Amino acid sequence: MVSILTMYSRGMPALIKKMKKPWAWLCAATALVVAASLVAFSQYVRLETTSPSAARAQATSTARTLSGGVDCREAKCVALTFDAGPSEHSARLLDILKEKEVPATFFLLGKRHIEKYPELVERMADEGHEVANHTWDHKRLTELEPDEIRDEIERPNKAIERIIGRRPTLMRPPQGRTDDTVHDICRELGMSEILWSVTAKDYKTDDSELIEQRVLDQTERDGIILLHDIYDGTVPAVPGIIDALKKRGFVFVTVPQLLAPGKAEPGKVYR
């Protein structure tokens, strides 16, 4: 793909000289944009990820210990995950999850969130949810220097450990943006990266019914559902999502339970 882009870039000046009509200019510009997009797309799809089923299959044949008593090799499992909290909506969300007996995985932000709501972080851990890392200030890690990446990950780790007594082992990169440098630093820090397979794009709408429908339309076995408990429309959509998926035979688990008896390995990316 890079060679295509280079070809268009180097040949463009000569090509433009031959073009007498406006539409020809437009075609040339479009070709260059398409070539650039293909390069970007090829870089994205090269990201190596491990699926939950692959993680389970990679476990040793003697590994039988399962977290939470659910065997996702047999059950139709799905993981609810929430990014960027805690927030003023998180207490209500925890009430819903407790009432529905559903565990979740919370990828928490440091600045203005972990610092502001330490009691909610503690409650998440106490009620059996997985407490994970979503960086300190939601910066795009791929645009930072290594020391900055390390700081963005380590600061929430330390803050969470002070509250619940243990360090997170899972991290979700903001916007899912990651690369080899991020992988290497995560490996160094003992962190695994968790992406998602279902998104309601709840950051674009407060329509709870739409959020619910988007999740239901996309969810399949081993789905990792991305939601945000910082937006007004999200938490009201959660009861309907849970009830509808339970009716379809899904069992809700945390991300570690979804991978068990496999285990998330530091430096690897799971989706």
Side-chain angles (χ1 to χ4, degrees):
M1 294 299 179
V2 176
S3 61
I4 293 174
L5 181 58
T6 303
M7 176 186 71
Y8 275 107
S9 301
R10 292 176 180 173
M12 188 59 67
L15 185 61
I16 289 174
K17 287 181 181 179
K18 298 179 182 179
M19 294 178 179
K20 308 276 186 178
K21 299 178 181 180
W23 65 264
W25 286 70
L26 179 60
C27 289
T30 301
L32 184 57
V33 170
V34 169
S37 299
L38 288 171
V39 171
F41 179 74
S42 69
Q43 291 173 338
Y44 174 76
V45 298
R46 280 200 298 268
L47 177 64
E48 291 186 10
T49 63
T50 301
S51 67
S53 60
R56 295 193 296 265
Q58 290 167 7
T60 61
S61 58
T62 57
R64 301 299 302 178
T65 303
L66 301 172
S67 179
V70 177
D71 189 345
C72 293
R73 294 171 296 190
E74 304 295 335
K76 192 166 73 169
C77 293
V78 66
L80 266 181
T81 72
F82 296 91
D83 281 13
S87 76
E88 65 272 20
H89 304 300
S90 299
R92 174 59 185 145
L93 173 59
L94 288 168
D95 290 342
I96 293 168
L97 296 175
K98 186 174 184 179
E99 177 189 345
K100 303 286 186 182
E101 298 183 325
V102 166
T105 302
F106 288 91
F107 292 92
L108 305 182
L109 273 177
K111 191 174 182 181
R112 298 183 297 276
H113 295 273
I114 295 172
E115 285 186 323
K116 188 174 181 179
Y117 301 100
E119 73 285 356
L120 291 177
V121 178
E122 186 173 17
R123 183 180 168 188
M124 289 168 184
D126 288 346
E127 295 184 1
H129 305 291
E130 184 73 17
V131 179
N133 181 325
H134 196 42
T135 73
W136 185 256
D137 203 20
H138 208 264
K139 294 176 180 175
R140 295 176 181 175
L141 299 180
T142 53
E143 298 175 2
L144 303 180
E145 295 298 319
D147 285 346
E148 296 174 302
I149 297 170
R150 194 173 287 104
D151 186 62
E152 273 290 299
I153 298 172
E154 269 294 87
R155 287 183 72 185
N157 277 351
K158 291 177 180 177
I160 290 169
E161 186 175 22
R162 282 195 296 269
I163 296 168
I164 69 172
R166 62 180 182 276
R167 288 168 57 89
T169 59
L170 307 180
M171 189 276 288
R172 176 167 283 161
Q175 300 180 2
R177 294 173 184 255
T178 186
D179 58 20
D180 288 342
T181 301
V182 177
H183 305 336
D184 290 343
I185 292 172
C186 283
R187 185 177 299 107
E188 169 195 325
L189 299 177
M191 307 290 290
S192 306
E193 298 170 68
I194 308 296
L195 301 183
W196 58 89
S197 56
V198 178
T199 175
K201 296 186 178 179
D202 53 349
Y203 48 86
K204 290 186 175 181
T205 180
D206 286 334
D207 185 334
S208 298
E209 290 186 4
L210 178 59
I211 292 168
E212 177 182 338
Q213 193 58 52
R214 285 174 173 173
V215 171
L216 298 182
D217 287 346
Q218 297 174 55
T219 301
E220 298 177 352
R221 182 176 182 176
D222 288 339
I224 300 176
I225 300 169
L226 167 62
L227 293 168
H228 300 77
D229 49 327
I230 58 173
Y231 299 122
D232 293 342
T234 301
V235 172
V238 171
I241 290 170
I242 291 172
D243 291 345
L245 291 179
K246 280 186 174 181
K247 285 181 181 178
R248 296 181 187 179
F250 286 99
V251 178
F252 289 91
V253 294
T254 64
V255 169
Q257 290 169 347
L258 188 65
L259 305 181
K263 202 172 180 183
E265 297 182 25
K268 285 193 174 182
V269 184
Y270 296 82
R271 182 186 345 227

